[in-house]
Amino acid sequence: VGAVGSVLGTAVAYATVGPALGPDAWRVAACLCASYVGGSLNYAATAQALGLAAAPGGQAALAAGMAADNLAMAVFLSALMVAKADPPEEEKEKAFASRRIDDSGDGIVGETGGNEARVANGRTVPTAVPTVRTAACALATALVFLECGKLLARWLG
C-alpha cells in the first residue's frame, strides 16, 4: 500500500511541478520515488540505471535530489520524534503496572521517575518517559551511522 501511494504521489507531483524543474526532473522524480519505496540505495541504483549523472546537468540534479531527499527525511523523522502518540489501552496498563513497585516490602507502592530504571526486590523496572537527552542520543547515533555510511561509500568508490 505504501509503495503504491509513493508511486501515485510521485506521478501527481511530477505532473504538477515536474515540467518546471528542467529536463532531468523525470529522472529525479523516479529516483526520489525509488528512495521512498526502498531507501537511499534504491535512489542511487535508479540514478545509475537512468543515467542521471551522465546527462548534461545531471550531476547537479543528482546532488540536489539527494539533498532534498535527506532534508525531507530529517524533517519527517524530527516530526515523528516530537509527535506524541497514545499507546493502546492494554499498553498503558502494562506501563502503569511496571512503574508501580514495592521496594521496601512494607506494602507501600512507590513510583519511579525520569528515564532511569530502579531495582526492586532484585528486578529492574524500566520507565517509558522519553526525554530530551534520549532524543539527542538517538539523533547523535543516527548521525554517526550516516557519517560511517559516507566514509564507507568513499572507501568503496
Side-chain angles (χ1 to χ4, degrees):
V1 174
V4 172
S6 293
V7 170
L8 292 176
T10 300
V12 169
Y14 179 76
T16 305
V17 296
L21 298 177
D24 293 317
W26 69 272
R27 289 181 176 108
V28 174
C31 292
L32 288 172
C33 181
S35 174
Y36 300 150
V37 172
S40 296
L41 288 177
N42 279 9
Y43 184 99
T46 303
Q48 185 176 13
L50 296 176
L52 180 59
Q59 292 271 337
L62 178 67
M66 285 182 148
D69 185 35
N70 287 331
L71 181 63
M73 176 199 61
V75 170
F76 177 71
L77 292 177
S78 297
L80 284 179
M81 276 199 297
V82 298
K84 182 176 169 120
D86 291 329
E89 287 301 317
E90 65 185 46
E91 291 297 320
K92 283 183 185 176
E93 291 172 16
K94 285 180 188 175
F96 182 72
S98 72
R99 291 188 60 171
R100 299 178 54 135
I101 58 173
D102 176 6
D103 57 356
S104 65
D106 60 3
I108 299 173
V109 176
E111 294 269 340
T112 60
N115 216 21
E116 304 84 22
R118 280 183 72 185
V119 177
N121 298 329
R123 65 185 180 105
T124 301
V125 183
T127 62
V129 180
T131 64
V132 173
R133 182 178 177 188
T134 305
C137 287
L139 184 59
T141 302
L143 290 173
V144 166
F145 280 111
L146 177 67
E147 288 302 317
C148 289
K150 286 181 185 178
L151 291 172
L152 183 63
R154 281 192 209 129
W155 183 68
L156 293 174

